[in-house]
């Protein structure tokens, strides 16, 4: 399960906000994949994920789901992992909420590797003795340790895997260190956009340069209201929620994503 291991090693393990439903969570993780610099800028991972989910359910049981997006070009098999502390109503056959979503980007040249990885993951969920403790974990560090143990346990049944065991030990030794916040060079900024009839858009955020970039963007109101995401100045702006107020004003809660070097 090299791609799952890479996701843990490279910081692509994220906590899903408590107020997210299934579609919100899938869009959030898909937009993380879309921010990978090597992907073509117009790759609609979110659209592919949601279309696949509508056609076939991706829950594996045991509190897990593994949605995937198939893309018609050659690239590495890429995984991003989302953890929901309270669980997400995913419409699973066993009725259990999903705690872990392992989302895959599956390029044309990686189809067989993906099928092998999913097969190993399904096997791991059956044989891993700590699955209930994994589902009861209450921090990203605990989740990461359990996932590394799960990988090692599974690989132990088909042959030695010194790489997984080494990283598992490194991960546990580093558990006392602060959790990295750069998410492997991915910048994530919360942004609020307020639009309304006869009102110039107002942008609230912590990054002043980003705020000024958005407020100076022609057609910001139209982009923010008409699309679930849009690009500006190397940032991908992802809409999370919106709320209407008096005076025909709309408050739009967003996340701004980009890699630290830009796309």
């Amino acid at each position: 399960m090299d791609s799952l291991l890479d996701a843990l090693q490279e910081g692509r393990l994220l906590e899903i906000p408590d107020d997210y439903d299934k579609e919100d969570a899938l869009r959030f993780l898909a937009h993380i994949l879309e921010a990978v610099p090597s992907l073509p800028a117009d790759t609609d991972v979110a659209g592919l994920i949601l279309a696949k989910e509508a056609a076939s359910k991706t829950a594996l049981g045991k509190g897990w789901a593994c949605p995937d997006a198939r893309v018609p070009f050659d690239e590495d098999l890429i995984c991003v992992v989302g953890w929901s502390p309270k669980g997400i109503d995913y419409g699973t056959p066993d009725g259990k909420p999903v705690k872990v979503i392992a989302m895959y980007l599956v390029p044309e040249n990686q189809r067989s590797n993906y099928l092998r990885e999913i097969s190993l993951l399904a096997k791991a969920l059956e044989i891993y003795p700590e699955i209930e403790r994994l589902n009861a974990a209450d921090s990203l560090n605990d989740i990461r340790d359990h996932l590394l143990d799960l990988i090692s346990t599974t690989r132990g049944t088909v042959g030695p895997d010194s790489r997984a065991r080494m990283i598992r030990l490194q991960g546990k030794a580093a558990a006392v260190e602060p959790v990295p916040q750069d998410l492997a060079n991915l910048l994530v900024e919360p942004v609020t956009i307020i639009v309304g009839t006869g009102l110039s858009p107002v942008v609230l955020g912590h990054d002043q340069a980003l705020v000024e970039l958005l407020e100076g963007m022609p057609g910001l109101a139209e982009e923010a209201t008409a699309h679930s995401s849009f690009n500006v100045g190397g940032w991908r702006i992802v809409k999370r929620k919106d709320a209407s107020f008096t005076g025909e004003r709309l408050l739009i809660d967003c996340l701004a994503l980009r890699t630290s070097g830009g796309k």
Side-chain angles (χ1 to χ4, degrees), residues 86-204:
K86 71 172 188 178
I88 294 171
D89 181 0
Y90 209 89
T92 57
D94 60 11
K96 293 183 178 180
V98 164
K99 292 288 193 75
V100 179
I101 300 176
M103 180 179 288
Y104 287 84
L105 182 79
V106 187
E108 187 71 35
N109 62 321
Q110 297 291 339
R111 302 286 174 93
S112 60
N113 289 337
Y114 165 71
L115 293 175
R116 180 176 182 274
E117 177 145 340
I118 290 298
S119 176
L120 286 171
L121 180 55
K123 179 179 180 180
L125 295 177
E126 290 297 325
I127 67 174
Y128 184 53
E130 303 289 345
I131 191 67
E132 294 304 323
R133 289 184 62 190
L134 186 156
N135 288 332
D138 59 3
S139 74
L140 280 177
N141 268 339
D142 285 345
I143 284 290
R144 184 174 185 272
D145 283 346
H146 278 300
L147 293 181
L148 289 168
D149 279 336
L150 180 146
I151 293 169
S152 291
T153 298
T154 306
R155 290 304 184 91
T157 67
V158 296
D161 186 347
S162 59
R163 180 176 177 229
R165 296 182 188 279
M166 177 187 70
I167 293 176
R168 174 171 56 85
L169 292 175
Q170 289 175 342
K172 288 187 173 180
V176 296
E177 299 295 328
V179 178
Q181 296 299 310
D182 64 359
L183 300 178
N185 299 321
L186 182 68
L187 304 179
V188 182
E189 288 286 341
V191 174
T192 300
I193 303 172
I194 304 171
V195 299
T197 303
L199 174 72
S200 295
V202 175
V203 180
L204 306 176

